[in-house]
Amino acid sequence: MISRSYTNLLDLASGNFPTMGRDRDRRRMPRVMTLPGSICEMDDDQAHSVSSENPSSLAGDRMIVVANLLPLKAKRRPDNKGWSFNWNEDSLLLRLRDGLPEDMEVIYVGSLCVDIDPIEQDDVSSYLLEKFRCVPAFLPPNIVEKYYEGFCKRHLWPLFHYMLPFSPDHGGRFDRSMWEAYVSANKLFSQKVVEVLNPEDDFVWIHDYHLMVLPTFLRRRFNRLRMGFFLHSPFPSSEIYRTLPVREEILKALLCADIVGFHTFDYARHFLSCCSRMLGLEYQSKRGYIGLEYYGRTVGIKIMPVGIHMGHIENMKRLAAKESKLKELKQQFEGKTVLLGFDDLDIFKGINLKLLAMEHMLGQHPKWQGQAVLIQIANPTRGKGVDLKEIQAEILESCKRINKQFGQPGYEPIVYIDRPISSSERMAYYSIAECVVVTAVRDGMNLTPYEYIACRQGMSGSEADSDVDGPKKSMLVVSEFIGCSPSLSGAIRINPWNVEATAEAMNEAISMAEPEKQLRHEKHYRYVSTHDVGYWARSFLQDMERTCIDHFRKRCYGIGLGFGFRVVALDPNFRKLSIDDIESAYIKSKSRAIFLDYDGTMMPQNSIIKSPSAEVISILNRICADQNNAVFIVSGRGRDSLDKWFSPCRKLGLAAEHGYFLRWSQDQEWETCSQNSDFGWMHLAEPVMQSYTDSTDGSNIEKKESAIVWQYRDADPGFGFSQAKEMLDHLESVLANEPVAVKSGQFIVEVKPQACILTPVTPLVVSFLSVVIILDFLSSNGLKTGVAFFASENDMKQQPLAMNDMTQQQIIDFLYCVNVHSDVYILVMGVSKGLVAEKIFTSLVERGKLADFVLCIGDDRSDEDMFEIIGDALSRNIISYDTKVFACTVGQKPSKAKYYLDDTSEVRFMLESLAEATITPFTSDEEAEDSA
């Protein structure tokens, strides 16, 4: 199977897709990134399709895990000759292997935490690949500083934690050279992935904000690569994220992945909101799964908090039991109530807020003076961070003040530890703590509460130690702004900015009755022990497989430059309309039916001027001049607007309001295609819509003769969508007993006559009712256009037994021929664009002009009815058996049409080609003047 990644943009733009074979010497057009924030080095000489016919040296079904750091520890050998490496047992990436199939090989790609001399890099790479299945990415010093300490730590990390760069000293202003270094680093990571990648068989799992544009580089080379991304930090609200100058580049890069994962629904919701507001994408939820439709691909959204590795915690507890640290701590804090804080030292962990809360608790509850101790462990930060010196000075000052105020001989209420501690030592501190307090003001996940819960469960079996295996109880005071908070329903959640409330929560936690502590612990332990890191990895892999299941069913094409690159996935039978093919079929045909939508097809949706241009009028007049052509504009607009705009086109047919009104040419009268003339429901619907219009800035009401539409295209997208959903429910309730349908569309809510009515009529009723009464029944329900009679429900799926144009005698004969044991179902189709096409086909048949050429072009959901009718027309003998049918949608998207054109300009170009192929001259000077 060949991975089709097209680089000849000229072929792609013309719609002539090249055959992807073994020819690797085809001419390639180099790409240069042109979007803001991109760098010209994004492409290299190897930016072409890589076929699985040249498999990687590492064959088989594998998972390639890509992260900024490899899950390794490295240190220089004592003799200073070479390096020694071993696994970092605390690494989350190392532990996710437990959730993957046993026979799935895992390869890690990432950088090392130490600087390797360029002379040693090749030897180190070979050794790590052979011994650890790790592929190191060695970043040049000039890039790594700007990439990690620069863009990652001074731009992305503060912004994703809701810190805006209001001043150069507060968060750091955007520096484009740092962004370029970030892109360059991601490109280097992609090159390392490619070295070991088998694109048809491997999975690629990218982790965290350091590599957010990596999916673009990989997707450009491997269109069908199964690739997921998981963000371990918060994703900010759209109001925060939109301040990032490269916001769209990062969003588009993430959408090159097949699935994007987040710890909580809040983070996912913010990402979806950004996609909606900045890219105009709306998500859909189906059977519990959330997906974004992006150029024919469905990008899955995964919400699953990561867990801990229970086996590793168990091992660390055993190690702690063998060491003396636990006994020392028990002796040191004997008789004391210990509260524990374990945090990285950065500005978002709220350590000083925790100290202030402890100070307030001791002041408000004197009983804890001399009794309660807060042990605060500050783990040194991995990077330089922001404002660390000021934070550390503030913490030390608070510790000194509190200990001076409440300290006693042999007692200090605050024990501050600002050095690295081992995993086993951390378990020892968990074992003596009555409560763990987390006051982070923003944090992606924070696994400290999970570790504490697992540690407090103690050990079971013969290896249990009395020093570790204490009472099975644990108490948690956690910030509501951390990722693990939603999953810990038994914890006391707090707003860390409210120091007084945090102090009361700490007092409540250590004062709670023992049985309740145990119940809360049991509830938490059940969750933590079952939702471990293996469960998380297994769930993510399963969703990635489900999302990628259509990869080899669809045709995939890569288009776009720079970070505007995306993969377009199309149905195998869905292809671009060839101008040469349609022009050839047009010339050879004798009876043609042409259906054209207006908004979004002939005229761009975002055009301020809605009336057709002189060019469009000229094209239509030339096509209509051929007496073999039946040309119709089929639009949702009102007949007054269409009549005014297309008045120069005298032979052009018009179908207004989705076919409710129909006119064959300008010299004929408008037909009403429905008997339903009761529009009293409009007086009920309009006040409801008006109330939402008044409260939704940017919305308006469009009142038609047969329908009423609420539009919110110019409103805030999020608020407008929310109001539309509420209005839909409101209108359905108000109009429940009215013969109307309430539907939502793209930025609209529409109320129109009911699309269909299905009425069962029993044979007994048929026997006693006269035909006149039956016909009156049909007329009173507006059942004239599109009436079909069926002998059973099953027949509804087949051909109708009789159509609406039956004579009275035919109806009598049909009703009396029905089996007396069956019901008669009367199905009445309402107004739609599809029925317009059917009516025109039928009329052409009556005139002896069976259509042998059909062109239908539209861009939205209402046009799908036409595509469906045209697809069924051949089997119903209303078009010729050898008819050339061209059902075409505008834009590459899922559709019942078999062809597409990219935009309205291509539609006009195609119609211009047909106009030039029309050989019938104008029949009068007057029409020629109209065309001009």
Side-chain angles (χ1 to χ4, degrees):
M1 183 67 68
I2 293 173
S3 176
R4 301 182 181 180
S5 178
Y6 294 105
T7 52
N8 192 331
L9 299 185
L10 294 178
D11 280 346
L12 184 59
S14 66
N16 300 319
F17 301 114
T19 301
M20 298 303 294
R22 300 174 184 265
D23 181 11
R24 304 183 185 279
D25 297 324
R26 62 183 181 277
R27 184 180 61 182
R28 288 180 284 108
M29 175 180 174
R31 298 175 180 169
V32 178
M33 294 173 58
T34 57
L35 293 180
S38 57
I39 58 176
C40 61
E41 292 83 11
M42 182 174 178
D43 288 69
D44 58 16
D45 292 337
Q46 297 179 350
H48 59 271
S49 174
V50 178
S51 169
S52 61
E53 293 171 350
N54 282 337
S56 164
S57 59
L58 300 174
D61 198 22
R62 306 171 305 171
M63 172 68 76
I64 299 178
V65 178
V66 194
N68 179 52
L69 288 177
L70 290 170
L72 295 172
K73 293 181 179 179
K75 63 179 179 179
R76 197 74 177 172
R77 288 176 181 168
D79 58 2
N80 204 33
K81 295 181 180 180
W83 296 84
S84 62
F85 298 90
N86 60 289
W87 290 114
N88 179 3
E89 298 293 334
D90 290 331
S91 173
L92 184 71
L93 302 182
L94 177 64
R95 300 301 177 182
L96 65 78
R97 294 186 301 186
D98 288 2
L100 305 179
E102 292 183 2
D103 58 346
M104 176 175 276
E105 181 185 3
V106 179
I107 298 177
Y108 294 97
V109 178
S111 61
L112 291 167
C113 56
V114 294
D115 293 327
I116 305 294
D117 191 280
I119 299 176
E120 302 175 297
Q121 288 179 2
D122 287 344
D123 291 337
V124 168
S125 296
S126 299
Y127 176 78
L128 292 180
L129 182 58
E130 181 181 356
K131 298 296 183 181
F132 295 92
R133 312 308 284 163
C134 289
V135 180
F138 301 107
L139 302 179
N142 62 320
I143 288 182
V144 71
E145 177 69 21
K146 289 186 175 181
Y147 152 68
Y148 184 74
E149 300 295 348
F151 194 75
C152 288
K153 286 300 180 182
R154 295 191 64 83
H155 289 318
L156 287 182
W157 186 72
L159 187 76
F160 280 25
H161 288 75
Y162 288 73
M163 182 177 177
L164 292 173
F166 290 116
S167 67
D169 298 330
H170 188 73
R173 295 285 171 81
F174 179 78
D175 185 335
R176 191 159 295 277
S177 66
M178 293 183 180
W179 162 247
E180 292 174 354
Y182 180 82
V183 173
S184 297
N186 276 249
K187 180 184 176 184
L188 289 173
F189 276 92
S190 74
Q191 292 170 349
K192 289 299 178 181
V193 172
V194 170
E195 288 179 8
V196 295
L197 180 64
N198 183 356
E200 305 296 342
D201 298 322
D202 293 347
F203 292 88
V204 177
W205 190 355
I206 304 167
H207 291 265
D208 222 2
Y209 63 92
H210 313 90
L211 303 173
M212 296 179 79
V213 300
L214 176 57
T216 290
F217 291 103
L218 294 177
R219 185 62 70 192
R220 290 179 58 206
R221 299 190 65 168
F222 310 106
N223 290 344
R224 290 188 173 90
L225 178 64
R226 295 174 292 184
M227 176 169 49
F229 178 91
F230 197 94
L231 183 66
H232 292 271
S233 78
F235 195 92
S237 70
S238 59
E239 291 303 304
I240 299 293
Y241 181 79
R242 69 195 302 183
T243 64
L244 186 64
V246 289
R247 60 191 188 184
E248 291 187 7
E249 288 90 327
I250 290 178
L251 285 180
K252 291 176 180 178
L254 289 177
L255 292 174
C256 283
D258 294 300
I259 183 170
V260 182
F262 303 91
H263 285 306
T264 72
F265 175 69
D266 276 346
Y267 304 160
R269 177 169 55 86
H270 294 155
F271 174 75
L272 293 171
S273 176
C274 289
C275 290
S276 173
R277 291 174 178 273
M278 297 165 204
L279 303 179
L281 304 176
E282 296 297 337
Y283 74 91
Q284 292 182 339
S285 181
K286 185 177 182 181
R287 295 183 179 178
Y289 297 104
I290 299 175
L292 277 168
E293 287 296 325
Y294 189 60
Y295 291 96
R297 294 171 51 244
T298 299
V299 180
I301 304 299
K302 177 68 174 177
I303 303 169
M304 176 61 69
V306 71
I308 59 175
H309 190 274
M310 298 298 293
H312 178 58
I313 298 296
E314 192 74 15
N315 292 336
M316 291 302 101
K317 287 191 292 183
R318 290 192 178 94
L319 184 59
K322 297 175 182 179
E323 296 177 349
S324 59
K325 185 64 178 180
L326 179 58
K327 293 181 180 179
E328 293 176 7
L329 292 176
K330 286 195 171 186
Q331 291 173 2
Q332 181 181 353
F333 297 102
E334 185 177 4
K336 300 294 190 293
T337 300
V338 177
L339 296 95
L340 178 66
F342 181 80
D343 306 277
D344 290 338
L345 183 61
D346 67 53
I347 59 176
F348 299 113
K349 293 302 186 287
I351 295 177
N352 198 57
L353 293 173
K354 189 186 306 179
L355 300 177
L356 296 177
M358 182 68 177
E359 180 181 26
H360 190 81
M361 186 189 79
L362 294 175
Q364 292 296 312
H365 302 279
K367 66 179 181 179
W368 294 116
Q369 296 178 19
Q371 177 68 26
V373 177
L374 173 62
I375 302 175
Q376 176 59 54
I377 302 171
N379 195 38
T381 184
R382 286 162 287 184
K384 297 179 182 178
V386 182
D387 303 329
L388 287 183
K389 291 183 179 180
E390 292 84 350
I391 294 295
Q392 195 159 21
E394 187 180 24
I395 291 172
L396 292 174
E397 191 279 329
S398 295
C399 291
K400 183 178 179 181
R401 184 186 69 252
I402 297 171
N403 285 337
K404 182 179 180 180
Q405 181 179 357
F406 297 104
Q408 301 172 10
Y411 166 75
E412 284 188 341
I414 306 293
V415 177
Y416 182 64
I417 303 172
D418 60 347
R419 60 173 175 82
I421 65 172
S422 65
S423 298
S424 59
E425 188 176 356
R426 189 165 76 247
M427 296 302 118
Y429 278 105
Y430 286 150
S431 298
I432 66 166
E434 189 71 17
C435 175
V436 159
V437 184
V438 182
T439 54
V441 296
R442 193 71 60 178
D443 206 354
M445 186 61 192
N446 199 314
L447 294 175
T448 296
Y450 286 9
E451 292 181 348
Y452 171 64
I453 292 165
C455 182
R456 294 290 288 184
Q457 180 68 11
M459 293 187 296
S460 59
S462 59
E463 297 183 69
D465 187 286
S466 58
D467 286 333
V468 178
D469 193 23
K472 294 177 174 58
K473 60 179 182 178
S474 59
M475 283 305 301
L476 292 167
V477 175
V478 299
S479 166
E480 62 189 51
F481 301 117
I482 64 176
C484 68
S485 175
S487 60
L488 298 172
S489 57
I492 302 176
R493 299 190 182 99
I494 48 97
N495 174 5
W497 298 104
N498 189 337
V499 173
E500 294 80 6
T502 303
E504 290 304 315
M506 293 164 65
N507 173 64
E508 180 185 354
I510 58 180
S511 302
M512 191 173 291
E514 296 297 309
E516 185 171 353
K517 290 181 181 179
Q518 294 177 21
L519 287 174
R520 289 175 183 248
H521 168 79
E522 290 171 3
K523 183 178 184 179
H524 288 158
Y525 183 75
R526 281 196 301 271
Y527 176 84
V528 171
S529 60
T530 55
H531 292 71
D532 60 358
V533 64
Y535 177 87
W536 169 73
R538 184 164 53 253
S539 177
F540 191 89
L541 176 60
Q542 289 172 351
D543 277 18
M544 195 192 307
E545 288 179 314
R546 179 187 54 79
T547 305
C548 300
I549 199 169
D550 287 338
H551 273 202
F552 297 98
R553 188 183 65 83
K554 294 184 176 181
R555 294 184 303 156
C556 298
Y557 305 101
I559 62 175
L561 304 176
F563 287 109
F565 174 84
R566 64 273 188 195
V567 168
V568 178
L570 305 176
D571 188 275
N573 297 320
F574 188 64
R575 57 189 182 274
K576 190 165 186 176
L577 182 61
S578 167
I579 304 298
D580 292 339
D581 289 348
I582 191 173
E583 188 174 332
S584 173
Y586 180 86
I587 294 173
K588 295 177 182 178
S589 59
K590 301 300 182 181
S591 177
R592 312 178 188 104
I594 300 174
F595 307 95
L596 305 173
D597 177 42
Y598 184 66
D599 292 285
T601 302
M602 303 289 290
M603 179 64 62
Q605 286 282 10
N606 56 359
S607 175
I608 297 177
I609 301 174
K610 298 298 183 181
S611 57
S613 63
E615 176 192 7
V616 170
I617 295 296
S618 174
I619 292 172
L620 292 175
N621 267 329
R622 281 184 283 165
I623 296 176
C624 291
D626 190 333
Q627 61 181 1
N628 295 321
N629 294 345
V631 186
F632 283 82
I633 296 291
V634 186
S635 172
R637 287 191 174 272
R639 56 177 172 174
D640 291 340
S641 298
L642 295 179
D643 193 12
K644 177 181 178 182
W645 291 344
F646 293 100
S647 57
C649 304
R650 299 196 173 185
K651 294 186 177 180
L652 178 67
L654 298 176
E657 300 190 19
H658 299 295
Y660 190 86
F661 298 107
L662 179 66
R663 190 179 70 182
W664 284 80
S665 62
Q666 197 175 112
D667 57 356
Q668 296 188 29
E669 297 295 325
W670 285 95
E671 301 176 17
T672 302
C673 298
S674 174
Q675 283 293 100
N676 194 343
S677 58
D678 181 11
F679 295 101
W681 50 266
M682 280 196 179
H683 300 296
L684 300 175
E686 188 173 8
V688 174
M689 287 187 171
Q690 188 60 51
S691 66
Y692 285 88
T693 304
D694 294 340
S695 59
T696 310
D697 188 39
S699 66
N700 62 82
I701 299 174
E702 179 185 359
K703 193 171 181 181
K704 304 177 181 179
E705 292 182 67
S706 66
I708 185 168
V709 183
W710 186 73
Q711 302 185 9
Y712 60 97
R713 184 178 298 276
D714 297 327
D716 176 87
F719 183 56
F721 181 72
S722 174
Q723 290 287 80
K725 288 182 66 178
E726 178 67 26
M727 179 192 291
L728 193 69
D729 292 339
H730 194 167
L731 287 171
E732 286 177 346
S733 176
V734 171
L735 302 173
N737 297 321
E738 300 294 330
V740 296
V742 184
K743 294 186 177 181
S744 61
Q746 190 172 19
F747 300 111
I748 67 165
V749 174
E750 182 178 22
V751 183
K752 60 182 181 179
Q754 196 167 21
C756 64
I757 301 173
L758 178 62
T759 304
V761 183
T762 66
L764 186 63
V765 173
V766 172
S767 300
F768 284 93
L769 289 179
S770 68
V771 173
V772 175
I773 296 177
I774 293 176
L775 295 180
D776 286 343
F777 166 77
L778 298 179
S779 177
S780 64
N781 286 276
L783 312 184
K784 179 179 179 181
T785 300
V787 176
F789 295 90
F790 300 89
S792 69
E793 286 185 280
N794 290 331
D795 285 337
M796 290 168 53
K797 302 174 184 178
Q798 309 298 327
Q799 281 292 100
L801 298 179
M803 296 305 293
N804 64 298
D805 55 350
M806 295 193 313
T807 64
Q808 179 171 317
Q809 186 58 49
Q810 287 174 322
I811 294 177
I812 295 172
D813 294 341
F814 170 75
L815 292 177
Y816 280 101
C817 286
V818 174
N819 188 312
V820 294
H821 299 293
S822 303
D823 285 351
V824 178
Y825 288 83
I826 303 176
L827 178 66
V828 186
M829 302 303 296
V831 174
S832 72
K833 289 186 177 182
L835 287 176
V836 171
E838 182 179 8
K839 184 178 182 65
I840 292 170
F841 285 142
T842 303
S843 297
L844 290 175
V845 171
E846 293 173 351
R847 299 178 185 183
K849 293 184 176 182
L850 202 64
D852 58 0
F853 173 94
V854 176
L855 171 63
C856 179
I857 311 179
D859 74 308
D860 62 19
R861 190 181 304 170
S862 64
D863 300 307
E864 296 296 316
D865 293 334
M866 283 197 293
F867 301 149
E868 185 175 14
I869 288 292
I870 290 172
D872 297 337
L874 183 60
S875 62
R876 298 173 59 183
N877 298 320
I878 53 177
I879 59 175
S880 176
Y881 72 94
D882 58 348
T883 298
K884 300 295 184 181
V885 177
F886 298 91
C888 177
T889 187
V890 180
Q892 301 177 30
K893 56 183 181 287
S895 172
K896 294 174 183 175
K898 291 186 177 181
Y899 301 93
Y900 73 89
L901 291 172
D902 286 323
D903 51 36
T904 56
S905 62
E906 288 195 356
V907 174
R908 290 196 297 272
F909 179 77
M910 183 273 296
L911 292 176
E912 174 69 28
S913 300
L914 298 187
E916 291 178 357
T918 303
I919 58 175
T920 302
F922 291 108
T923 57
S924 67
D925 294 339
E926 185 179 3
E927 288 186 8
E929 292 174 1
D930 288 340
S931 174

